Amino acid sequence: MRDEFRRSQLSIAALFGFLGFQYSTWAARIPMLKSSLDLSNAQVGLLLLATGIGAAIAFPIVTFLMRRLGSRRLALVACLGLTLVLLALAVVPNQPVALAVMLLDGVLVACLNVAMNAQGTALEVKYERNTMAKLHAAFSGGIFTAALLASAVTAATTNLLTHFTIGAAILAALAAFASRALLPTDLPATEKVKGKLTIPSRTIAWLAVAMVFVTVVEGAMNDWSALYLKEIIGAPPAVLPLGIAVVSATMLLTRLFADSRRAAWGDRQVVLAGATIAGTALAAALLIGGLIPTLIGFACVGLGMAAATPCLYAAAAKQGPNALTLVATMGTLGLLAGPPAIGALTNATTLLYGMAAVALSALL
């Protein structure tokens, strides 16, 4: 039984790692995409908004596909699509085509996000063991690994196709590994959680709102940290991906041990304390300025926000599979639509104010 749990846990973790790696691979090269397509900050925000729109329209699509395909098949289909999206981004000729690709990316991310969290919930219920935080650690690990790869490739070449081809090969390997031991059915998860929902209750609505704020912080740090280091701090090109790297590294380490802290302190205290640390540390870093204080502030964001997402997914799962689908979709929306909102604010002011809004989101 333990071996079966471990095999499924590793396969589901590969899905989380896949999503983090795919997302971070293109996010770390936003400065290059901006340059190659000759985009303004507002146009970069519009490009990111396309992913948010894709996530926003994905809820009925994901609900339908989850019923028809189940989480296992939906996850693998989404993995294939996201691999192709990454390759397409390397060769987009202009902004309109890039917008279409990013719209598709948003839909596919929503599909994979819901499917992999449904798999994680089913795993916890089937074996009666907490593992959601560790699964989300794999997501952070994927982001971290992709950021390091981006830094290494950027130091050798600025060619996006080379970088994204390497990334696509890694994604294909992760998807193949994941396919070995995913749970074949979502039935174990739906048998033991609460009943079906048609209209979100107040509890679920607040969980969805909280998830939006949490994922806005995560998404904005991933999408805008490199440009912040470049335009506000003046860091050299090889250092730019380290903004994502320090956030994801602290998230990874924190999530590896978060399940025990959740048991000791309770999810509510974990989320409140973590969000306070993230918001105040980032605000302090913005006020102080400089490369080292900024990276420390970024690291504190990863430390503080690491357990918030797993806690919210666990709470949503207790309300039923439809609640999990809704909260996961809202999480994707915040992750992908939050950065464009920061971009709009940045275009009207400066990127410094945009990052201040990220700190405010953590506190909210």
Side-chain angles (χ1 to χ4, degrees):
M1 183 71 72
R2 180 179 178 84
D3 289 342
E4 292 177 1
F5 171 82
R6 187 65 62 193
R7 288 182 69 247
S8 293
Q9 183 189 44
L10 290 175
S11 290
I12 298 169
L15 294 178
F16 280 80
F18 180 105
L19 185 58
F21 188 92
Q22 193 269 357
Y23 175 49
S24 182
T25 296
W26 65 259
R29 299 307 297 270
I30 285 176
M32 184 62 193
L33 285 168
K34 177 184 178 183
S35 176
S36 63
L37 295 176
D38 194 24
L39 305 177
S40 65
N41 280 343
Q43 289 174 317
V44 171
L46 183 61
L47 192 66
L48 298 176
L49 179 61
T51 62
I53 294 173
I57 66 176
F59 178 68
I61 299 173
V62 175
T63 302
F64 173 77
L65 291 177
M66 280 287 287
R67 287 198 302 264
R68 291 295 300 271
L69 301 179
S71 61
R72 181 181 184 276
R73 286 192 290 173
L74 179 58
L76 295 177
V77 169
C79 284
L80 174 61
L82 287 169
T83 302
L84 296 177
V85 161
L86 186 63
L87 291 172
L89 276 177
V91 296
V92 289
N94 50 50
Q95 187 191 23
V97 177
L99 287 172
V101 172
M102 296 305 285
L103 180 72
L104 178 60
D105 182 83
V107 174
L108 291 171
V109 166
C111 289
L112 181 55
N113 188 38
V114 171
M116 71 186 191
N117 278 286
Q119 282 277 314
T121 301
L123 184 67
E124 285 196 334
V125 171
K126 181 177 180 179
Y127 294 97
E128 298 182 345
R129 297 179 59 179
N130 289 335
T131 188
M132 192 66 83
K134 289 183 177 63
L135 293 176
H136 282 264
F139 176 78
S140 299
I143 292 177
F144 179 68
T145 303
L148 292 182
L149 177 64
S151 184
V153 172
T154 301
T157 178
T158 59
N159 188 277
L160 281 178
L161 183 58
T162 299
H163 180 193
F164 287 0
T165 299
I166 295 172
I170 294 173
L171 291 176
L174 285 171
F177 180 85
S179 67
R180 301 188 312 158
L182 292 178
L183 298 177
T185 175
D186 302 325
L187 182 60
T190 59
E191 285 179 336
K192 296 187 179 182
V193 294
K194 295 180 181 179
K196 296 181 179 181
L197 294 169
T198 54
I199 300 176
S201 67
R202 181 179 299 179
T203 297
I204 296 169
W206 278 116
L207 286 173
V209 170
M211 182 65 82
V212 169
F213 282 123
V214 169
T215 53
V216 163
V217 175
E218 289 191 35
M221 293 304 298
N222 289 330
D223 288 355
W224 290 104
S225 60
L227 280 175
Y228 182 85
L229 291 175
K230 177 183 178 181
E231 297 182 1
I232 304 298
I233 304 301
V239 175
L240 302 185
L242 294 183
I244 299 177
V246 296
V247 175
S248 56
T250 51
M251 275 198 170
L252 170 61
L253 293 174
T254 303
R255 283 172 171 171
L256 287 174
F257 304 99
D259 284 324
S260 62
R261 293 302 88 199
R262 290 171 58 202
W265 299 340
D267 286 1
R268 182 175 184 274
Q269 292 303 319
V270 168
V271 173
L272 289 175
T276 301
I277 291 171
T280 54
L282 180 57
L286 300 180
L287 290 173
I288 295 170
L291 179 60
I292 300 303
T294 298
L295 291 177
I296 292 174
F298 286 2
C300 288
V301 173
L303 172 68
M305 303 305 292
T309 305
C311 286
L312 291 172
Y313 278 121
K318 293 176 182 178
Q319 301 297 320
N322 286 351
L324 177 61
T325 300
L326 175 61
V327 172
T329 303
M330 293 301 291
T332 305
L333 178 61
L335 189 70
L336 300 179
I342 300 300
L345 177 60
T346 295
N347 190 58
T349 55
T350 69
L351 193 48
L352 181 63
Y353 285 95
M355 293 302 287
V358 177
L360 178 62
S361 294
L363 296 173
L364 287 173

